[in-house]
Amino acid sequence: MATAHVGGYRPGLVDLKTGQISREIFVNEDIYAEEQERVFARAWLYVGHESQVPNPGDFFVSGMGEESVILTRDRAGQVRVFLNSCRHRGMKVCRYDEGNTTVFTCPYHGWSYGTDGRLVGVPYFREAYHSQLDRLQWGLVEVAQTCVHKGTVWATWDKDAPPFLEYLGDFARYLDQMFDSWDGSDGGTEILGGVQKWLVPSNWKFPAENFSGDSYHNISHRSVDMVGAGPSGSGRRDMPELNLARKLHIAIPDRGHQTTAYLLPREVEVPAGYQHSPVVSDYFKKCEEARRQQRGDWGRLITLVGEVFPSMAFLARQPRTIAVWHPRGPHQTEVWRWFLVDKNAPQDVKNFLRDYYIRYSGPAGMTEQDDMENWGYAHKASRGTIARRYSYSYEQGMGTEVDNYEWEGFSLPGSVTDLTQAKSSEHNLRNLYRRWAEFMEASDWDELASWRRAQRAAAE
Amino acid sequence: MSDRDDRFVEMLLTHEIAQFLYREAELLDERRYEAWLALLSDDIRYWMPMRRNVKFGEESREFTREITDINWFDEGKETLTRRVRQIETGIHWAEEPVSRIAHLVTNVQLIEAMPSAAEAREVSVKCRFLIYRNRVETETDILVGKREDLLRRDGDDWKIARRKIILDQNVLLSKNLTFFF
Ligand code: FES
Ligand SMILES: [Fe+2]
């Protein structure tokens, strides 16, 4: 029995030997405060898409954990990410969602900042400050590192965090499917206009674990399966693949990223989906062929739902979306969702997919609505003094994952559970919480980058 | 017809339209979804844009665009019908147990009657709405905004041919939109 909310985080709350995780990590206010420091201030976080700021002076106000940040392109064309808070007294410098500007002028006392973050204007600089204020020191706070990867913009507050691609590790290949176009060409996706933002009454880890690979929540979505919201009529829209392919959980243990994927057979052709629309069906058929040609075995892999630790989730197939879970206190999450399509897809295909995305995802999404109901009431029913004494069970499929998974001569990096046999597993969820606990316990990135130690040891 | 007659005809039409909108709200609040669906024309567009914070004078970018961008809703009768069917499965957890919903429709303004108020075959009408939803125990949402409807004469009654829903929120303060506006 886990003792109830005495203090904050301590080792043992995430117990992967028994497969039990304490409810405290979801509902405890002290743990929430600690995870802002230890997780969100140290990890790489998704900020937005380069196509949201195509021109110098363009900006998009985004979020990193609890903070508001400004994603902008400075006059030199560089993508920059700044804390959206005036250095003088903290006023939110930019309260527009997006736009174009030469300076961000603070509405409180009028300090103004260039798109490169520099403090360029201070009212009464000569008279009141006697020209003494060191303006170079008082620019907007910038993130420690920024990375633009296949159009997506990532940032971290921690200067010691490893470069983003190293942070991804072997997961990069799986994640790339999200940003490459369906025919396999590099980074060929674009963002549709409009970012959905809404509040969900649960801890941010409920959606995070769900997108990490909750392969067990079929009953959640039974109503939508019955009436059909999918592009191929009623029933589960992925049936053809389900019957032919291997369905896999793939986790990268030392990084905390995980996804679900289909691995298609080498020889058998998968029947075309999207029969409702010949244009769309044709498009995807051509793309599939091209991808297989271009990518070989990797072209047989279709990444589905996954999570980049800690708070960026993606759906690489249709509906193709990126979601970010912004913590808003232990009991609330603000979800932001971006929608992607292939840049070169015919307009008809884009329209068709856009319709489908809206119908499936987000607060009006016939599928996602039922997830949020469950997260909200699971959270609520876990808050009581008695309730939080009892851990959740994450025992499903413990110890059944393998490290050298191979099918039809293609071996995959990561730790893999074959769901075609197992039907379901909580392997990916355990992977998320393993990494989360490491972040909560590690004192610095030296400790967190365990793979570097392994590499050093191998070199010696 | 005299001016007075014209105004009288317009008043009657406004009254008729308002009564239609109240009756529609009644159907939704009483969960009589089949009857509600029957009020929608087969070619209805049901559109609810998302709203951005923009500078004064840049209002053209305030709303996400119909057909082009991502919106809260941007759909037709087929999808609306599926939404009804989903509620009727009895296992659509987001509406199970069913919510208690009240639609308050006010500020009904007749904007245009085509070709005329006396022989109106189509009318465009604006109103304000307040939707109150309470579910399970204490969960409560209040959504306020404007609606712009295009109604089409259908025998003795009207059909809704187009509905634009303008919700006065930026970050949606409700976890879902499982109800109708
Ligand atoms: S808070 Fe921005 S100028 Fe004072
Ligand atoms: Fe789900």
Side-chain angles (χ1 to χ4, degrees):
Chain A
M1 188 180 81
T3 21
H5 50 298
V6 193
Y9 178 81
R10 63 190 177 281
L13 292 180
V14 173
D15 184 350
L16 294 175
K17 278 197 205 72
T18 59
Q20 292 190 26
I21 295 179
S22 167
R23 298 184 190 209
E24 291 291 340
I25 76 163
F26 299 91
V27 300
N28 181 304
E29 317 239 331
D30 296 335
I31 294 180
Y32 175 81
E34 287 172 73
E35 84 184 344
Q36 299 316 303
E37 280 284 348
R38 307 187 78 91
V39 178
F40 287 94
R42 300 202 286 191
W44 277 92
L45 303 171
Y46 178 82
V47 177
H49 201 271
E50 215 185 359
S51 65
Q52 295 180 281
V53 288
N55 304 307
D58 285 350
F59 66 88
F60 168 73
V61 170
S62 188
M64 290 173 66
E66 289 182 324
E67 325 291 337
S68 174
V69 296
I70 305 172
L71 164 65
T72 183
R73 192 178 289 275
D74 68 19
R75 277 202 280 183
Q78 198 71 24
V79 169
R80 312 284 289 263
V81 181
F82 301 105
L83 186 67
N84 189 5
S85 178
C86 181
R87 294 295 303 282
H88 176 242
R89 205 67 86 243
M91 176 61 191
K92 193 168 186 178
V93 171
C94 182
R95 290 173 303 150
Y96 304 114
D97 294 340
E98 51 188 72
N100 182 284
T101 194
T102 45
V103 284
F104 296 102
T105 301
C106 176
Y108 196 173
H109 310 95
W111 282 22
S112 53
Y113 304 89
T115 49
D116 57 0
R118 279 194 311 164
L119 180 61
V120 292
V122 177
Y124 300 135
F125 179 69
R126 243 178 304 138
E127 300 88 329
Y129 286 99
H130 312 291
S131 307
Q132 301 284 324
L133 183 77
D134 181 1
R135 281 181 293 194
L136 285 177
Q137 271 190 35
W138 292 99
L140 289 174
V141 175
E142 187 162 17
V143 295
Q145 300 183 57
T146 309
C147 176
V148 179
H149 176 61
K150 300 202 175 194
T152 56
V153 183
W154 302 75
T156 174
W157 300 108
D158 195 333
K159 63 175 180 13
D160 297 327
F164 179 64
L165 284 180
E166 185 183 340
Y167 180 87
L168 285 181
D170 282 337
F171 198 67
R173 296 212 73 164
Y174 300 113
L175 182 65
D176 280 354
Q177 291 219 354
M178 180 68 218
F179 312 131
D180 294 339
S181 70
W182 209 247
D183 65 8
S185 38
D186 226 34
T189 45
E190 65 182 7
I191 296 273
L192 290 170
V195 179
Q196 290 189 338
K197 305 171 186 176
W198 76 101
L199 292 173
V200 180
S202 80
N203 186 273
W204 67 274
K205 292 188 287 304
F206 274 100
E209 75 156 58
N210 185 283
F211 275 73
S212 287
D214 187 325
S215 48
Y216 198 45
H217 70 299
N218 295 331
I219 190 174
S220 291
H221 298 305
R222 198 153 290 152
S223 69
V224 73
D225 291 342
M226 281 165 73
V227 301
S232 302
S234 58
R236 285 188 61 111
R237 74 211 147 75
D238 51 2
M239 256 330 176
E241 285 95 334
L242 257 183
N243 291 336
L244 287 167
R246 307 308 286 187
K247 188 176 184 182
L248 308 172
H249 263 169
I250 304 166
I252 311 297
D254 53 7
R255 304 297 207 277
H257 318 309
Q258 49 276 325
T259 186
T260 306
Y262 287 130
L263 183 54
L264 301 178
R266 193 180 293 258
E267 304 301 342
V268 193
E269 211 180 299
V270 173
Y274 311 98
Q275 306 95 326
H276 280 4
S277 164
V279 193
V280 181
S281 176
D282 257 27
Y283 176 74
F284 279 99
K285 200 165 182 295
K286 285 207 188 84
C287 284
E288 293 282 347
E289 285 164 13
R291 192 175 57 176
R292 280 204 186 206
Q293 242 160 29
Q294 196 175 327
R295 302 244 153 143
D297 276 336
W298 278 95
R300 295 199 279 133
L301 190 93
I302 298 178
T303 309
L304 305 168
V305 191
E307 174 100 2
V308 175
F309 185 88
S311 58
M312 181 272 197
F314 59 88
L315 235 162
R317 201 168 178 265
Q318 316 307 332
R320 220 163 184 201
T321 74
I322 290 171
V324 175
W325 324 115
H326 296 300
R328 296 285 182 261
H331 314 304
Q332 195 173 55
T333 303
E334 188 172 315
V335 183
W336 286 30
R337 194 186 282 293
W338 289 254
F339 295 80
L340 290 88
V341 287
D342 289 351
K343 223 178 289 178
N344 293 329
Q347 193 56 44
D348 283 355
V349 172
K350 291 183 186 176
N351 291 345
F352 180 93
L353 292 174
R354 193 193 59 101
D355 278 359
Y356 174 49
Y357 294 178
I358 298 177
R359 188 156 89 220
Y360 184 103
S361 299
M366 294 171 69
T367 302
E368 201 150 61
Q369 290 170 346
D370 290 325
D371 284 319
M372 294 184 283
E373 185 78 3
N374 283 314
W375 304 336
Y377 281 97
H379 182 100
K380 198 172 182 213
S382 297
R383 289 181 63 177
T385 301
I386 303 299
R388 27 168 116 183
R389 289 181 189 164
Y390 297 90
S391 298
Y392 294 148
S393 164
Y394 289 85
E395 293 153 284
Q396 195 180 104
M398 272 175 69
T400 57
E401 60 268 25
V402 296
D403 280 338
N404 302 303
Y405 183 83
E406 196 191 302
W407 189 56
E408 290 193 339
F410 177 43
S411 54
L412 292 170
S415 153
V416 176
T417 299
D418 190 331
L419 297 176
T420 310
Q421 276 166 354
K423 296 288 181 248
S424 183
S425 160
E426 286 166 347
H427 161 218
N428 277 5
L429 281 59
R430 289 189 292 274
N431 199 58
L432 170 74
Y433 292 115
R434 177 189 304 110
R435 191 59 174 157
W436 181 84
E438 282 170 9
F439 265 80
M440 293 300 281
E441 287 165 35
S443 51
D444 51 29
W445 260 107
D446 221 25
E447 221 175 300
L448 282 168
S450 55
W451 56 89
R452 288 186 173 171
R453 280 200 302 282
Q455 280 159 8
R456 274 199 302 270
E460 275 162 21
Chain B
M1 265 194 301
S2 71
D3 251 18
R4 210 184 135 90
D5 289 343
D6 276 356
R7 293 209 319 262
F8 191 62
V9 165
E10 209 172 291
M11 200 175 89
L12 280 177
L13 182 61
T14 306
H15 178 77
E16 184 185 342
I17 296 301
Q19 289 303 313
F20 173 82
L21 296 178
Y22 302 155
R23 184 154 48 90
E24 187 213 351
E26 189 74 16
L27 292 177
L28 285 172
D29 293 348
E30 289 181 350
R31 306 179 188 129
R32 290 165 59 196
Y33 296 118
E34 291 308 318
W36 178 71
L37 283 173
L39 295 183
L40 313 182
S41 73
D42 289 340
D43 61 347
I44 187 177
R45 284 293 316 162
Y46 186 86
W47 172 42
M48 180 165 149
M50 302 192 290
R51 300 180 67 174
R52 302 182 179 98
N53 292 301
V54 294
K55 257 198 178 74
F56 185 84
E58 292 180 8
E59 283 79 10
S60 63
R61 289 192 303 105
E62 182 172 359
F63 298 93
T64 52
R65 294 165 297 173
E66 192 178 6
I67 316 283
T68 311
D69 292 331
I70 294 294
N71 296 278
W72 291 128
F73 290 100
D74 191 1
E75 61 196 43
K77 192 164 184 177
E78 192 208 322
T79 303
L80 289 166
T81 307
R82 282 184 203 244
R83 293 183 187 280
V84 166
R85 298 280 170 270
Q86 191 180 17
I87 294 169
E88 291 168 345
T89 61
I91 54 168
H92 181 21
W93 312 117
E95 278 301 325
E96 197 62 41
V98 288
S99 298
R100 293 163 285 273
I101 296 176
H103 287 75
L104 277 61
V105 176
T106 72
N107 305 32
V108 177
Q109 295 179 74
L110 186 68
I111 302 300
E112 199 185 353
M114 292 145 291
S116 68
E119 289 156 66
R121 284 198 300 276
E122 278 193 345
V123 297
S124 86
V125 55
K126 283 189 178 182
C127 65
R128 299 285 183 275
F129 65 79
L130 183 151
I131 298 174
Y132 170 86
R133 174 175 66 169
N134 173 274
R135 62 179 279 92
V136 191
E137 292 160 311
T138 57
E139 210 181 347
T140 304
D141 293 297
I142 294 174
L143 298 99
V144 180
K146 296 119 188 162
R147 234 170 49 190
E148 297 175 21
D149 291 336
L150 181 73
L151 306 183
R152 202 179 285 148
R153 169 74 73 195
D154 179 55
D156 288 343
D157 207 358
W158 296 89
K159 287 229 156 127
I160 305 161
R162 175 175 167 75
R163 171 159 292 171
K164 176 180 174 186
I165 305 144
I166 300 169
L167 180 67
D168 291 331
Q169 291 183 13
N170 171 253
V171 174
L172 182 71
L173 302 174
S174 310
K175 69 181 180 193
N176 66 34
L177 297 168
T178 46
F179 43 88
F180 302 99
F181 284 82

